[in-house]
PDB file of all heavy atoms in Angstrom:
ATOM      1  N   ASP A   1       6.188   9.497  -0.125  1.00  0.00           N
ATOM      2  CA  ASP A   1       5.548   8.975   1.094  1.00  0.00           C
ATOM      3  C   ASP A   1       6.348   7.850   1.748  1.00  0.00           C
ATOM      4  O   ASP A   1       5.849   7.210   2.676  1.00  0.00           O
ATOM      5  CB  ASP A   1       4.122   8.469   0.786  1.00  0.00           C
ATOM      6  CG  ASP A   1       3.244   9.588   0.247  1.00  0.00           C
ATOM      7  OD1 ASP A   1       3.357  10.717   0.750  1.00  0.00           O
ATOM      8  OD2 ASP A   1       2.406   9.309  -0.675  1.00  0.00           O
ATOM      9  N   ALA A   2       7.552   7.602   1.271  1.00  0.00           N
ATOM     10  CA  ALA A   2       8.373   6.520   1.847  1.00  0.00           C
ATOM     11  C   ALA A   2       8.673   6.806   3.296  1.00  0.00           C
ATOM     12  O   ALA A   2       8.972   7.933   3.701  1.00  0.00           O
ATOM     13  CB  ALA A   2       9.683   6.373   1.067  1.00  0.00           C
ATOM     14  N   LYS A   3       8.597   5.772   4.112  1.00  0.00           N
ATOM     15  CA  LYS A   3       8.855   5.894   5.563  1.00  0.00           C
ATOM     16  C   LYS A   3      10.330   5.558   5.841  1.00  0.00           C
ATOM     17  O   LYS A   3      10.938   4.793   5.105  1.00  0.00           O
ATOM     18  CB  LYS A   3       7.939   4.977   6.339  1.00  0.00           C
ATOM     19  CG  LYS A   3       6.458   5.316   6.204  1.00  0.00           C
ATOM     20  CD  LYS A   3       5.606   4.317   6.932  1.00  0.00           C
ATOM     21  CE  LYS A   3       4.145   4.719   6.889  1.00  0.00           C
ATOM     22  NZ  LYS A   3       3.619   4.828   5.506  1.00  0.00           N
ATOM     23  N   PRO A   4      10.904   6.152   6.913  1.00  0.00           N
ATOM     24  CA  PRO A   4      12.281   5.806   7.256  1.00  0.00           C
ATOM     25  C   PRO A   4      12.507   4.298   7.319  1.00  0.00           C
ATOM     26  O   PRO A   4      11.656   3.570   7.852  1.00  0.00           O
ATOM     27  CB  PRO A   4      12.466   6.470   8.622  1.00  0.00           C
ATOM     28  CG  PRO A   4      11.498   7.614   8.584  1.00  0.00           C
ATOM     29  CD  PRO A   4      10.303   7.118   7.818  1.00  0.00           C
ATOM     30  N   GLU A   5      13.604   3.828   6.734  1.00  0.00           N
ATOM     31  CA  GLU A   5      14.027   2.445   6.688  1.00  0.00           C
ATOM     32  C   GLU A   5      13.222   1.604   5.688  1.00  0.00           C
ATOM     33  O   GLU A   5      13.379   0.397   5.656  1.00  0.00           O
ATOM     34  CB  GLU A   5      14.025   1.810   8.065  1.00  0.00           C
ATOM     35  CG  GLU A   5      15.046   2.400   9.028  1.00  0.00           C
ATOM     36  CD  GLU A   5      15.301   1.568  10.225  1.00  0.00           C
ATOM     37  OE1 GLU A   5      14.550   1.696  11.231  1.00  0.00           O
ATOM     38  OE2 GLU A   5      16.241   0.747  10.209  1.00  0.00           O
ATOM     39  N   GLU A   6      12.368   2.240   4.879  1.00  0.00           N
ATOM     40  CA  GLU A   6      11.686   1.498   3.840  1.00  0.00           C
ATOM     41  C   GLU A   6      12.596   1.403   2.625  1.00  0.00           C
ATOM     42  O   GLU A   6      13.152   2.384   2.139  1.00  0.00           O
ATOM     43  CB  GLU A   6      10.382   2.249   3.466  1.00  0.00           C
ATOM     44  CG  GLU A   6       9.395   1.398   2.677  1.00  0.00           C
ATOM     45  CD  GLU A   6       8.041   2.047   2.532  1.00  0.00           C
ATOM     46  OE1 GLU A   6       7.880   3.203   3.000  1.00  0.00           O
ATOM     47  OE2 GLU A   6       7.137   1.414   1.952  1.00  0.00           O
ATOM     48  N   SER A   7      12.749   0.189   2.094  1.00  0.00           N
ATOM     49  CA  SER A   7      13.681  -0.068   1.000  1.00  0.00           C
ATOM     50  C   SER A   7      12.960  -0.301  -0.295  1.00  0.00           C
ATOM     51  O   SER A   7      11.845  -0.877  -0.339  1.00  0.00           O
ATOM     52  CB  SER A   7      14.563  -1.292   1.343  1.00  0.00           C
ATOM     53  OG  SER A   7      15.456  -1.015   2.371  1.00  0.00           O
ATOM     54  N   PHE A   8      13.594   0.107  -1.396  1.00  0.00           N
ATOM     55  CA  PHE A   8      13.071  -0.065  -2.729  1.00  0.00           C
ATOM     56  C   PHE A   8      14.217  -0.420  -3.676  1.00  0.00           C
ATOM     57  O   PHE A   8      15.363  -0.053  -3.436  1.00  0.00           O
ATOM     58  CB  PHE A   8      12.399   1.227  -3.241  1.00  0.00           C
ATOM     59  CG  PHE A   8      11.290   1.705  -2.380  1.00  0.00           C
ATOM     60  CD1 PHE A   8      11.535   2.618  -1.349  1.00  0.00           C
ATOM     61  CD2 PHE A   8       9.997   1.263  -2.582  1.00  0.00           C
ATOM     62  CE1 PHE A   8      10.509   3.080  -0.559  1.00  0.00           C
ATOM     63  CE2 PHE A   8       8.955   1.733  -1.771  1.00  0.00           C
ATOM     64  CZ  PHE A   8       9.206   2.640  -0.778  1.00  0.00           C
ATOM     65  N   GLN A   9      13.856  -1.067  -4.775  1.00  0.00           N
ATOM     66  CA  GLN A   9      14.777  -1.167  -5.908  1.00  0.00           C
ATOM     67  C   GLN A   9      14.444  -0.019  -6.824  1.00  0.00           C
ATOM     68  O   GLN A   9      13.323   0.082  -7.343  1.00  0.00           O
ATOM     69  CB  GLN A   9      14.654  -2.466  -6.656  1.00  0.00           C
ATOM     70  CG  GLN A   9      15.663  -2.583  -7.793  1.00  0.00           C
ATOM     71  CD  GLN A   9      15.368  -3.671  -8.793  1.00  0.00           C
ATOM     72  OE1 GLN A   9      14.873  -3.417  -9.880  1.00  0.00           O
ATOM     73  NE2 GLN A   9      15.674  -4.922  -8.413  1.00  0.00           N
ATOM     74  N   PHE A  10      15.403   0.900  -7.037  1.00  0.00           N
ATOM     75  CA  PHE A  10      15.267   1.904  -8.068  1.00  0.00           C
ATOM     76  C   PHE A  10      15.667   1.223  -9.380  1.00  0.00           C
ATOM     77  O   PHE A  10      16.830   0.827  -9.544  1.00  0.00           O
ATOM     78  CB  PHE A  10      16.154   3.118  -7.797  1.00  0.00           C
ATOM     79  CG  PHE A  10      15.701   3.985  -6.660  1.00  0.00           C
ATOM     80  CD1 PHE A  10      14.570   3.701  -5.941  1.00  0.00           C
ATOM     81  CD2 PHE A  10      16.423   5.118  -6.322  1.00  0.00           C
ATOM     82  CE1 PHE A  10      14.141   4.491  -4.875  1.00  0.00           C
ATOM     83  CE2 PHE A  10      16.025   5.952  -5.277  1.00  0.00           C
ATOM     84  CZ  PHE A  10      14.886   5.647  -4.560  1.00  0.00           C
ATOM     85  N   GLU A  11      14.709   1.067 -10.291  1.00  0.00           N
ATOM     86  CA  GLU A  11      14.936   0.281 -11.497  1.00  0.00           C
ATOM     87  C   GLU A  11      16.182   0.745 -12.233  1.00  0.00           C
ATOM     88  O   GLU A  11      16.411   1.930 -12.443  1.00  0.00           O
ATOM     89  CB  GLU A  11      13.722   0.331 -12.396  1.00  0.00           C
ATOM     90  CG  GLU A  11      12.494  -0.299 -11.748  1.00  0.00           C
ATOM     91  CD  GLU A  11      11.278  -0.306 -12.666  1.00  0.00           C
ATOM     92  OE1 GLU A  11      11.474  -0.064 -13.888  1.00  0.00           O
ATOM     93  OE2 GLU A  11      10.176  -0.569 -12.195  1.00  0.00           O
ATOM     94  N   ARG A  12      17.025  -0.225 -12.566  1.00  0.00           N
ATOM     95  CA  ARG A  12      18.309  -0.033 -13.290  1.00  0.00           C
ATOM     96  C   ARG A  12      19.429   0.475 -12.402  1.00  0.00           C
ATOM     97  O   ARG A  12      20.592   0.378 -12.780  1.00  0.00           O
ATOM     98  CB  ARG A  12      18.153   0.928 -14.476  1.00  0.00           C
ATOM     99  CG  ARG A  12      17.536   0.319 -15.701  1.00  0.00           C
ATOM    100  CD  ARG A  12      17.428   1.314 -16.856  1.00  0.00           C
ATOM    101  NE  ARG A  12      18.726   1.959 -17.153  1.00  0.00           N
ATOM    102  CZ  ARG A  12      18.830   3.038 -17.920  1.00  0.00           C
ATOM    103  NH1 ARG A  12      17.770   3.599 -18.390  1.00  0.00           N
ATOM    104  NH2 ARG A  12      20.029   3.554 -18.130  1.00  0.00           N
ATOM    105  N   HIS A  13      19.128   1.004 -11.209  1.00  0.00           N
ATOM    106  CA  HIS A  13      20.173   1.635 -10.417  1.00  0.00           C
ATOM    107  C   HIS A  13      20.631   0.838  -9.214  1.00  0.00           C
ATOM    108  O   HIS A  13      21.824   0.897  -8.835  1.00  0.00           O
ATOM    109  CB  HIS A  13      19.675   3.006  -9.911  1.00  0.00           C
ATOM    110  CG  HIS A  13      19.477   4.003 -11.001  1.00  0.00           C
ATOM    111  ND1 HIS A  13      20.490   4.395 -11.823  1.00  0.00           N
ATOM    112  CD2 HIS A  13      18.365   4.686 -11.377  1.00  0.00           C
ATOM    113  CE1 HIS A  13      20.025   5.301 -12.691  1.00  0.00           C
ATOM    114  NE2 HIS A  13      18.745   5.468 -12.457  1.00  0.00           N
ATOM    115  N   GLY A  14      19.749   0.104  -8.549  1.00  0.00           N
ATOM    116  CA  GLY A  14      20.146  -0.603  -7.357  1.00  0.00           C
ATOM    117  C   GLY A  14      19.088  -0.523  -6.275  1.00  0.00           C
ATOM    118  O   GLY A  14      17.921  -0.147  -6.527  1.00  0.00           O
ATOM    119  N   TYR A  15      19.514  -0.810  -5.059  1.00  0.00           N
ATOM    120  CA  TYR A  15      18.609  -0.820  -3.925  1.00  0.00           C
ATOM    121  C   TYR A  15      18.887   0.395  -3.031  1.00  0.00           C
ATOM    122  O   TYR A  15      20.045   0.695  -2.741  1.00  0.00           O
ATOM    123  CB  TYR A  15      18.760  -2.133  -3.121  1.00  0.00           C
ATOM    124  CG  TYR A  15      18.377  -3.319  -3.971  1.00  0.00           C
ATOM    125  CD1 TYR A  15      19.360  -4.058  -4.648  1.00  0.00           C
ATOM    126  CD2 TYR A  15      17.061  -3.688  -4.129  1.00  0.00           C
ATOM    127  CE1 TYR A  15      19.027  -5.139  -5.478  1.00  0.00           C
ATOM    128  CE2 TYR A  15      16.694  -4.783  -4.942  1.00  0.00           C
ATOM    129  CZ  TYR A  15      17.669  -5.498  -5.584  1.00  0.00           C
ATOM    130  OH  TYR A  15      17.322  -6.545  -6.411  1.00  0.00           O
ATOM    131  N   PHE A  16      17.819   1.049  -2.619  1.00  0.00           N
ATOM    132  CA  PHE A  16      17.921   2.280  -1.856  1.00  0.00           C
ATOM    133  C   PHE A  16      16.996   2.213  -0.645  1.00  0.00           C
ATOM    134  O   PHE A  16      15.954   1.537  -0.677  1.00  0.00           O
ATOM    135  CB  PHE A  16      17.565   3.491  -2.735  1.00  0.00           C
ATOM    136  CG  PHE A  16      18.540   3.779  -3.820  1.00  0.00           C
ATOM    137  CD1 PHE A  16      18.600   2.948  -4.963  1.00  0.00           C
ATOM    138  CD2 PHE A  16      19.411   4.855  -3.759  1.00  0.00           C
ATOM    139  CE1 PHE A  16      19.512   3.193  -6.004  1.00  0.00           C
ATOM    140  CE2 PHE A  16      20.330   5.105  -4.782  1.00  0.00           C
ATOM    141  CZ  PHE A  16      20.360   4.291  -5.901  1.00  0.00           C
ATOM    142  N   VAL A  17      17.356   2.944   0.380  1.00  0.00           N
ATOM    143  CA  VAL A  17      16.566   2.959   1.610  1.00  0.00           C
ATOM    144  C   VAL A  17      16.328   4.392   2.045  1.00  0.00           C
ATOM    145  O   VAL A  17      17.218   5.257   1.879  1.00  0.00           O
ATOM    146  CB  VAL A  17      17.257   2.177   2.733  1.00  0.00           C
ATOM    147  CG1 VAL A  17      18.573   2.822   3.183  1.00  0.00           C
ATOM    148  CG2 VAL A  17      16.342   1.978   3.931  1.00  0.00           C
ATOM    149  N   ALA A  18      15.154   4.700   2.560  1.00  0.00           N
ATOM    150  CA  ALA A  18      14.870   6.008   3.129  1.00  0.00           C
ATOM    151  C   ALA A  18      15.663   6.147   4.436  1.00  0.00           C
ATOM    152  O   ALA A  18      15.516   5.325   5.352  1.00  0.00           O
ATOM    153  CB  ALA A  18      13.383   6.181   3.381  1.00  0.00           C
ATOM    154  N   ASP A  19      16.519   7.131   4.485  1.00  0.00           N
ATOM    155  CA  ASP A  19      17.421   7.285   5.642  1.00  0.00           C
ATOM    156  C   ASP A  19      16.635   7.386   6.953  1.00  0.00           C
ATOM    157  O   ASP A  19      15.679   8.197   7.049  1.00  0.00           O
ATOM    158  CB  ASP A  19      18.266   8.552   5.463  1.00  0.00           C
ATOM    159  CG  ASP A  19      19.357   8.679   6.493  1.00  0.00           C
ATOM    160  OD1 ASP A  19      19.080   9.204   7.594  1.00  0.00           O
ATOM    161  OD2 ASP A  19      20.481   8.217   6.222  1.00  0.00           O
ATOM    162  N   ARG A  20      17.002   6.587   7.934  1.00  0.00           N
ATOM    163  CA  ARG A  20      16.271   6.540   9.195  1.00  0.00           C
ATOM    164  C   ARG A  20      16.523   7.740  10.064  1.00  0.00           C
ATOM    165  O   ARG A  20      15.780   7.973  11.020  1.00  0.00           O
ATOM    166  CB  ARG A  20      16.639   5.248   9.940  1.00  0.00           C
ATOM    167  CG  ARG A  20      18.064   5.173  10.465  1.00  0.00           C
ATOM    168  CD  ARG A  20      18.389   3.777  11.022  1.00  0.00           C
ATOM    169  NE  ARG A  20      17.517   3.421  12.111  1.00  0.00           N
ATOM    170  CZ  ARG A  20      17.877   3.455  13.406  1.00  0.00           C
ATOM    171  NH1 ARG A  20      19.101   3.847  13.714  1.00  0.00           N
ATOM    172  NH2 ARG A  20      17.028   3.086  14.344  1.00  0.00           N
ATOM    173  N   LYS A  21      17.542   8.523   9.767  1.00  0.00           N
ATOM    174  CA  LYS A  21      17.903   9.658  10.614  1.00  0.00           C
ATOM    175  C   LYS A  21      17.485  10.984   9.992  1.00  0.00           C
ATOM    176  O   LYS A  21      16.939  11.855  10.708  1.00  0.00           O
ATOM    177  CB  LYS A  21      19.408   9.644  10.855  1.00  0.00           C
ATOM    178  CG  LYS A  21      19.957  10.706  11.804  1.00  0.00           C
ATOM    179  CD  LYS A  21      21.440  10.503  12.025  1.00  0.00           C
ATOM    180  CE  LYS A  21      22.022  11.518  12.985  1.00  0.00           C
ATOM    181  NZ  LYS A  21      23.476  11.281  13.223  1.00  0.00           N
ATOM    182  N   ASP A  22      17.701  11.190   8.712  1.00  0.00           N
ATOM    183  CA  ASP A  22      17.480  12.480   8.085  1.00  0.00           C
ATOM    184  C   ASP A  22      16.163  12.591   7.346  1.00  0.00           C
ATOM    185  O   ASP A  22      15.799  13.700   6.908  1.00  0.00           O
ATOM    186  CB  ASP A  22      18.609  12.769   7.100  1.00  0.00           C
ATOM    187  CG  ASP A  22      19.955  12.968   7.837  1.00  0.00           C
ATOM    188  OD1 ASP A  22      19.910  13.320   9.012  1.00  0.00           O
ATOM    189  OD2 ASP A  22      21.009  12.750   7.217  1.00  0.00           O
ATOM    190  N   SER A  23      15.447  11.498   7.153  1.00  0.00           N
ATOM    191  CA  SER A  23      14.164  11.555   6.465  1.00  0.00           C
ATOM    192  C   SER A  23      13.087  12.136   7.402  1.00  0.00           C
ATOM    193  O   SER A  23      13.077  11.840   8.596  1.00  0.00           O
ATOM    194  CB  SER A  23      13.723  10.168   6.005  1.00  0.00           C
ATOM    195  OG  SER A  23      14.596   9.679   5.020  1.00  0.00           O
ATOM    196  N   VAL A  24      12.226  12.969   6.830  1.00  0.00           N
ATOM    197  CA  VAL A  24      11.062  13.478   7.557  1.00  0.00           C
ATOM    198  C   VAL A  24       9.811  13.197   6.714  1.00  0.00           C
ATOM    199  O   VAL A  24       9.906  12.884   5.522  1.00  0.00           O
ATOM    200  CB  VAL A  24      11.177  15.007   7.804  1.00  0.00           C
ATOM    201  CG1 VAL A  24      12.359  15.280   8.705  1.00  0.00           C
ATOM    202  CG2 VAL A  24      11.305  15.780   6.515  1.00  0.00           C
TER     203      VAL A  24
END
């Protein structure tokens, strides 16, 4: 349910963002 440009820390891996262009 992540919205475009919503950022999260994926535990152990780093910081990730829902792509603002390709996410639906």
Side-chain angles (χ1 to χ4, degrees):
D1 298 323
K3 297 177 176 59
E5 295 194 273
E6 195 170 4
S7 291
F8 301 92
Q9 183 196 101
F10 288 0
E11 296 184 13
R12 282 181 53 194
H13 292 302
Y15 297 96
F16 292 74
V17 66
D19 189 274
R20 67 189 300 258
K21 184 175 181 179
D22 294 335
S23 295
V24 297

